[in-house]
Amino acid sequence: MKQVCTNCHFLAKEHREQNTGRVLSSPMSDNERHKAKNSINEFVNEFYSLKCHMGVWDEGISPNKEGRIDRVNNEERMGLCFFYPFNQSMMFDAAMELQKREQEYRQVKRSNMYTRVGLWVSSGALLVNAIIGLIRLSKCA
């Protein structure tokens, strides 16, 4: 799966109430994501601004409507964001926790790989040391 915003669970739309200034944030719907993937320019209503729920990027209060499709469809943020695959029925908090677990699992897996490599290197060194010891022992006898 390509790691772009339309495939990410944290792609959100935001609306600010005029009288109170309260920010209302909600995830993009399946239909809106489908329209964005098919490059339909009006994939979300005009009064919404788009953002990453995890704070990687935000259109702000005066969004640039022309660059929306490129921003959510084509801009790969591999390794520079908190990408988590979209699941329609999942809330943001659950996705944040699962994303954190997945990231920790990847770090532990990488750490275990380095540990295994270190064990193989030390085993090889012990084997070479044993062979050298046997050669020296046979020369003395």
Side-chain angles (χ1 to χ4, degrees), residues 1-139:
M1 173 184 296
K2 194 173 178 185
Q3 286 194 7
V4 292
C5 295
T6 47
N7 295 331
C8 182
H9 190 78
F10 299 118
L11 177 60
K13 56 188 178 181
E14 181 179 271
H15 173 69
R16 295 179 190 271
E17 289 183 341
Q18 286 183 344
N19 53 352
T20 63
R22 184 172 58 164
V23 177
L24 304 171
S25 184
S26 60
M28 296 272 290
S29 71
D30 221 5
N31 186 32
E32 291 166 334
R33 288 170 190 270
H34 182 69
K35 286 180 182 177
K37 286 178 187 177
N38 292 326
S39 298
I40 298 171
N41 214 11
E42 295 299 320
F43 60 96
V44 68
N45 289 335
E46 261 184 48
F47 54 85
Y48 283 114
S49 64
L50 300 179
K51 70 175 195 168
C52 171
H53 183 73
M54 297 295 279
V56 174
W57 63 273
D58 190 343
E59 280 187 333
I61 55 173
S62 57
N64 176 11
K65 307 290 187 204
E66 288 77 41
R68 279 186 164 178
I69 291 292
D70 291 333
R71 191 175 305 112
V72 298
N73 251 358
N74 301 327
E75 196 172 318
E76 282 198 55
R77 294 180 170 85
M78 186 73 99
L80 302 173
C81 71
F82 301 94
F83 180 83
Y84 190 76
F86 177 64
N87 184 340
Q88 185 175 358
S89 59
M90 190 181 297
M91 303 297 285
F92 280 139
D93 291 339
M96 287 170 29
E97 185 64 33
L98 290 173
Q99 187 274 339
K100 195 182 303 179
R101 282 186 195 173
E102 189 175 294
Q103 186 177 10
E104 288 171 358
Y105 172 73
R106 276 182 280 171
Q107 288 174 343
V108 166
K109 192 175 175 182
R110 184 180 300 125
S111 175
N112 285 345
M113 181 194 65
Y114 292 142
T115 303
R116 277 187 244 123
V117 168
L119 285 172
W120 279 105
V121 168
S122 62
S123 298
L126 281 172
L127 181 65
V128 168
N129 191 24
I131 292 171
I132 291 173
L134 287 174
I135 293 172
R136 284 185 184 163
L137 197 66
S138 66
K139 284 184 179 178

